[in-house]
Amino acid sequence: MRRFPPERIVCLTEETVETLYLLGAEDRIVGVSGYAVRPPRVRREKPRVSAFTSADIPKILALAPDLVLAFSDLQADIAADLARAGVAVHLFNQRDVAGCLAMVRTLGALVGLPERAETLAAGFEARLAAAAEAVRDRPPLRVYFEEWDAPMISGIGWVSDLIALAGGCDVFPDLSRQPAAKDRIVSPEQVIAAAPQVILASWCGKRVNIARIRDRPGWAAIPAVRDGRIHEIKAPLILQPGPAALTDGFAAIRACLG
């Protein structure tokens, strides 16, 4: 990092973009992921420099960033290319709610706004705790979260955590701790055996087809299918490990379990 606090930041995923806006540091962002949609004005304010597993390295370098923010092993090669080019990179790897809150605090420290970040993270924590307290005495609903349909991939850690805080019980809690999607693949038979009372789906990059889920062979006996409790949660709300999931994504889960 050439300067502190950094003045020219590139965000390769959407959760750091939203966090910087919430911290009032959006003027420092000089490039964003093509998937960044929160807040809506980011789409007209900031140049797009990356997808998720690919990035326009020359375009990023032309922006002369003093900090690039990346996420997970899936962006490790991009981070390595930028590091070799002399760019400072911080790669986050949060996979649960605790990690999302730590990301907010860490990012605040990186940009010289630790007090604002602490206030933001503490606010998220308080709202999550209050929601959990409100359903503490309610029997938890069994929930299957589907992140992809072919193959069927169950929910990651932060999704599982939010389901629990909303009064549900992830039917594949052990799989949710697997960071890689390939390690969270489930079979139709496993879901049938788990007998979820609610099915939540968010297929990254495409619209959920509820009818197709409902009509899967043998699924008519699943309580969620029988009772018509299959719901789509929009990917930008729940599949990014940051403010969107902790706020609007969580609210969407709560609405589906209410």
Side-chain angles (χ1 to χ4, degrees), residues 51-69:
F52 185 56
T53 57
S54 63
D56 188 333
I57 301 297
K59 188 172 184 179
I60 292 173
L61 296 178
L63 293 169
D66 44 27
L67 178 62
V68 173
L69 302 171

PDB file of all heavy atoms in Angstrom, residues 51-69:
ATOM      1  N   ALA A  51     -15.082  -9.574 -13.498  1.00  0.00           N
ATOM      2  CA  ALA A  51     -16.237 -10.438 -13.257  1.00  0.00           C
ATOM      3  C   ALA A  51     -15.997 -11.032 -11.868  1.00  0.00           C
ATOM      4  O   ALA A  51     -15.671 -10.304 -10.935  1.00  0.00           O
ATOM      5  CB  ALA A  51     -16.347 -11.496 -14.338  1.00  0.00           C
ATOM      6  N   PHE A  52     -16.127 -12.355 -11.717  1.00  0.00           N
ATOM      7  CA  PHE A  52     -15.802 -12.943 -10.416  1.00  0.00           C
ATOM      8  C   PHE A  52     -14.492 -13.707 -10.486  1.00  0.00           C
ATOM      9  O   PHE A  52     -13.592 -13.504  -9.670  1.00  0.00           O
ATOM     10  CB  PHE A  52     -16.926 -13.848  -9.926  1.00  0.00           C
ATOM     11  CG  PHE A  52     -16.679 -14.372  -8.524  1.00  0.00           C
ATOM     12  CD1 PHE A  52     -16.446 -13.495  -7.479  1.00  0.00           C
ATOM     13  CD2 PHE A  52     -16.670 -15.727  -8.262  1.00  0.00           C
ATOM     14  CE1 PHE A  52     -16.197 -13.963  -6.188  1.00  0.00           C
ATOM     15  CE2 PHE A  52     -16.424 -16.200  -6.981  1.00  0.00           C
ATOM     16  CZ  PHE A  52     -16.197 -15.317  -5.942  1.00  0.00           C
ATOM     17  N   THR A  53     -14.346 -14.552 -11.484  1.00  0.00           N
ATOM     18  CA  THR A  53     -13.113 -15.328 -11.593  1.00  0.00           C
ATOM     19  C   THR A  53     -12.195 -14.785 -12.684  1.00  0.00           C
ATOM     20  O   THR A  53     -11.198 -15.412 -13.026  1.00  0.00           O
ATOM     21  CB  THR A  53     -13.416 -16.811 -11.868  1.00  0.00           C
ATOM     22  OG1 THR A  53     -14.211 -16.913 -13.061  1.00  0.00           O
ATOM     23  CG2 THR A  53     -14.179 -17.430 -10.709  1.00  0.00           C
ATOM     24  N   SER A  54     -12.518 -13.634 -13.232  1.00  0.00           N
ATOM     25  CA  SER A  54     -11.659 -13.011 -14.232  1.00  0.00           C
ATOM     26  C   SER A  54     -11.648 -11.504 -14.005  1.00  0.00           C
ATOM     27  O   SER A  54     -12.583 -10.943 -13.431  1.00  0.00           O
ATOM     28  CB  SER A  54     -12.155 -13.321 -15.649  1.00  0.00           C
ATOM     29  OG  SER A  54     -13.445 -12.773 -15.861  1.00  0.00           O
ATOM     30  N   ALA A  55     -10.571 -10.873 -14.449  1.00  0.00           N
ATOM     31  CA  ALA A  55     -10.447  -9.432 -14.278  1.00  0.00           C
ATOM     32  C   ALA A  55      -9.617  -8.861 -15.411  1.00  0.00           C
ATOM     33  O   ALA A  55      -8.782  -9.549 -16.000  1.00  0.00           O
ATOM     34  CB  ALA A  55      -9.805  -9.111 -12.927  1.00  0.00           C
ATOM     35  N   ASP A  56      -9.848  -7.596 -15.708  1.00  0.00           N
ATOM     36  CA  ASP A  56      -9.088  -6.884 -16.729  1.00  0.00           C
ATOM     37  C   ASP A  56      -7.867  -6.266 -16.041  1.00  0.00           C
ATOM     38  O   ASP A  56      -7.915  -5.132 -15.559  1.00  0.00           O
ATOM     39  CB  ASP A  56      -9.971  -5.812 -17.371  1.00  0.00           C
ATOM     40  CG  ASP A  56      -9.328  -5.157 -18.578  1.00  0.00           C
ATOM     41  OD1 ASP A  56      -8.085  -5.120 -18.639  1.00  0.00           O
ATOM     42  OD2 ASP A  56     -10.070  -4.677 -19.452  1.00  0.00           O
ATOM     43  N   ILE A  57      -6.783  -7.031 -15.981  1.00  0.00           N
ATOM     44  CA  ILE A  57      -5.595  -6.591 -15.253  1.00  0.00           C
ATOM     45  C   ILE A  57      -5.047  -5.270 -15.803  1.00  0.00           C
ATOM     46  O   ILE A  57      -4.766  -4.350 -15.014  1.00  0.00           O
ATOM     47  CB  ILE A  57      -4.509  -7.688 -15.265  1.00  0.00           C
ATOM     48  CG1 ILE A  57      -5.036  -8.988 -14.612  1.00  0.00           C
ATOM     49  CG2 ILE A  57      -3.260  -7.197 -14.519  1.00  0.00           C
ATOM     50  CD1 ILE A  57      -5.405  -8.866 -13.165  1.00  0.00           C
ATOM     51  N   PRO A  58      -4.880  -5.123 -17.129  1.00  0.00           N
ATOM     52  CA  PRO A  58      -4.393  -3.833 -17.639  1.00  0.00           C
ATOM     53  C   PRO A  58      -5.287  -2.657 -17.239  1.00  0.00           C
ATOM     54  O   PRO A  58      -4.783  -1.564 -16.923  1.00  0.00           O
ATOM     55  CB  PRO A  58      -4.366  -4.035 -19.155  1.00  0.00           C
ATOM     56  CG  PRO A  58      -4.193  -5.510 -19.329  1.00  0.00           C
ATOM     57  CD  PRO A  58      -4.982  -6.121 -18.219  1.00  0.00           C
ATOM     58  N   LYS A  59      -6.599  -2.865 -17.258  1.00  0.00           N
ATOM     59  CA  LYS A  59      -7.519  -1.794 -16.877  1.00  0.00           C
ATOM     60  C   LYS A  59      -7.353  -1.438 -15.402  1.00  0.00           C
ATOM     61  O   LYS A  59      -7.370  -0.262 -15.028  1.00  0.00           O
ATOM     62  CB  LYS A  59      -8.964  -2.211 -17.165  1.00  0.00           C
ATOM     63  CG  LYS A  59      -9.982  -1.094 -16.989  1.00  0.00           C
ATOM     64  CD  LYS A  59     -11.361  -1.540 -17.477  1.00  0.00           C
ATOM     65  CE  LYS A  59     -12.373  -0.408 -17.396  1.00  0.00           C
ATOM     66  NZ  LYS A  59     -13.704  -0.836 -17.904  1.00  0.00           N
ATOM     67  N   ILE A  60      -7.180  -2.466 -14.568  1.00  0.00           N
ATOM     68  CA  ILE A  60      -6.964  -2.216 -13.133  1.00  0.00           C
ATOM     69  C   ILE A  60      -5.664  -1.455 -12.921  1.00  0.00           C
ATOM     70  O   ILE A  60      -5.619  -0.460 -12.182  1.00  0.00           O
ATOM     71  CB  ILE A  60      -6.954  -3.547 -12.353  1.00  0.00           C
ATOM     72  CG1 ILE A  60      -8.346  -4.188 -12.368  1.00  0.00           C
ATOM     73  CG2 ILE A  60      -6.491  -3.317 -10.910  1.00  0.00           C
ATOM     74  CD1 ILE A  60      -8.386  -5.584 -11.776  1.00  0.00           C
ATOM     75  N   LEU A  61      -4.594  -1.890 -13.576  1.00  0.00           N
ATOM     76  CA  LEU A  61      -3.308  -1.221 -13.406  1.00  0.00           C
ATOM     77  C   LEU A  61      -3.362   0.228 -13.890  1.00  0.00           C
ATOM     78  O   LEU A  61      -2.730   1.112 -13.306  1.00  0.00           O
ATOM     79  CB  LEU A  61      -2.221  -1.997 -14.140  1.00  0.00           C
ATOM     80  CG  LEU A  61      -1.939  -3.416 -13.621  1.00  0.00           C
ATOM     81  CD1 LEU A  61      -0.877  -4.097 -14.470  1.00  0.00           C
ATOM     82  CD2 LEU A  61      -1.517  -3.373 -12.153  1.00  0.00           C
ATOM     83  N   ALA A  62      -4.131   0.481 -14.953  1.00  0.00           N
ATOM     84  CA  ALA A  62      -4.259   1.844 -15.472  1.00  0.00           C
ATOM     85  C   ALA A  62      -4.932   2.773 -14.471  1.00  0.00           C
ATOM     86  O   ALA A  62      -4.739   3.999 -14.520  1.00  0.00           O
ATOM     87  CB  ALA A  62      -5.039   1.825 -16.781  1.00  0.00           C
ATOM     88  N   LEU A  63      -5.709   2.205 -13.555  1.00  0.00           N
ATOM     89  CA  LEU A  63      -6.372   3.004 -12.531  1.00  0.00           C
ATOM     90  C   LEU A  63      -5.433   3.385 -11.384  1.00  0.00           C
ATOM     91  O   LEU A  63      -5.819   4.137 -10.494  1.00  0.00           O
ATOM     92  CB  LEU A  63      -7.580   2.249 -11.971  1.00  0.00           C
ATOM     93  CG  LEU A  63      -8.750   2.037 -12.943  1.00  0.00           C
ATOM     94  CD1 LEU A  63      -9.759   1.051 -12.371  1.00  0.00           C
ATOM     95  CD2 LEU A  63      -9.423   3.368 -13.277  1.00  0.00           C
ATOM     96  N   ALA A  64      -4.218   2.833 -11.391  1.00  0.00           N
ATOM     97  CA  ALA A  64      -3.197   3.114 -10.373  1.00  0.00           C
ATOM     98  C   ALA A  64      -3.724   2.932  -8.952  1.00  0.00           C
ATOM     99  O   ALA A  64      -3.627   3.841  -8.116  1.00  0.00           O
ATOM    100  CB  ALA A  64      -2.646   4.527 -10.564  1.00  0.00           C
ATOM    101  N   PRO A  65      -4.279   1.754  -8.642  1.00  0.00           N
ATOM    102  CA  PRO A  65      -4.826   1.558  -7.293  1.00  0.00           C
ATOM    103  C   PRO A  65      -3.714   1.438  -6.248  1.00  0.00           C
ATOM    104  O   PRO A  65      -2.632   0.921  -6.541  1.00  0.00           O
ATOM    105  CB  PRO A  65      -5.591   0.236  -7.422  1.00  0.00           C
ATOM    106  CG  PRO A  65      -4.849  -0.518  -8.475  1.00  0.00           C
ATOM    107  CD  PRO A  65      -4.407   0.530  -9.465  1.00  0.00           C
ATOM    108  N   ASP A  66      -3.986   1.943  -5.053  1.00  0.00           N
ATOM    109  CA  ASP A  66      -3.056   1.682  -3.961  1.00  0.00           C
ATOM    110  C   ASP A  66      -3.568   0.563  -3.056  1.00  0.00           C
ATOM    111  O   ASP A  66      -2.899   0.168  -2.116  1.00  0.00           O
ATOM    112  CB  ASP A  66      -2.737   2.943  -3.158  1.00  0.00           C
ATOM    113  CG  ASP A  66      -3.944   3.799  -2.847  1.00  0.00           C
ATOM    114  OD1 ASP A  66      -5.054   3.256  -2.770  1.00  0.00           O
ATOM    115  OD2 ASP A  66      -3.767   5.011  -2.696  1.00  0.00           O
ATOM    116  N   LEU A  67      -4.750   0.023  -3.373  1.00  0.00           N
ATOM    117  CA  LEU A  67      -5.262  -1.153  -2.675  1.00  0.00           C
ATOM    118  C   LEU A  67      -6.307  -1.836  -3.550  1.00  0.00           C
ATOM    119  O   LEU A  67      -7.207  -1.170  -4.067  1.00  0.00           O
ATOM    120  CB  LEU A  67      -5.899  -0.769  -1.329  1.00  0.00           C
ATOM    121  CG  LEU A  67      -6.529  -1.901  -0.515  1.00  0.00           C
ATOM    122  CD1 LEU A  67      -5.482  -2.941  -0.109  1.00  0.00           C
ATOM    123  CD2 LEU A  67      -7.231  -1.355   0.723  1.00  0.00           C
ATOM    124  N   VAL A  68      -6.183  -3.150  -3.696  1.00  0.00           N
ATOM    125  CA  VAL A  68      -7.197  -3.958  -4.374  1.00  0.00           C
ATOM    126  C   VAL A  68      -7.767  -4.933  -3.361  1.00  0.00           C
ATOM    127  O   VAL A  68      -7.020  -5.598  -2.633  1.00  0.00           O
ATOM    128  CB  VAL A  68      -6.619  -4.719  -5.588  1.00  0.00           C
ATOM    129  CG1 VAL A  68      -7.667  -5.676  -6.161  1.00  0.00           C
ATOM    130  CG2 VAL A  68      -6.163  -3.739  -6.664  1.00  0.00           C
ATOM    131  N   LEU A  69      -9.083  -5.027  -3.310  1.00  0.00           N
ATOM    132  CA  LEU A  69      -9.777  -5.921  -2.382  1.00  0.00           C
ATOM    133  C   LEU A  69     -10.351  -7.091  -3.158  1.00  0.00           C
ATOM    134  O   LEU A  69     -11.104  -6.899  -4.114  1.00  0.00           O
ATOM    135  CB  LEU A  69     -10.893  -5.165  -1.659  1.00  0.00           C
ATOM    136  CG  LEU A  69     -10.429  -3.939  -0.860  1.00  0.00           C
ATOM    137  CD1 LEU A  69     -11.628  -3.143  -0.364  1.00  0.00           C
ATOM    138  CD2 LEU A  69      -9.550  -4.366   0.313  1.00  0.00           C
TER     139      LEU A  69
END
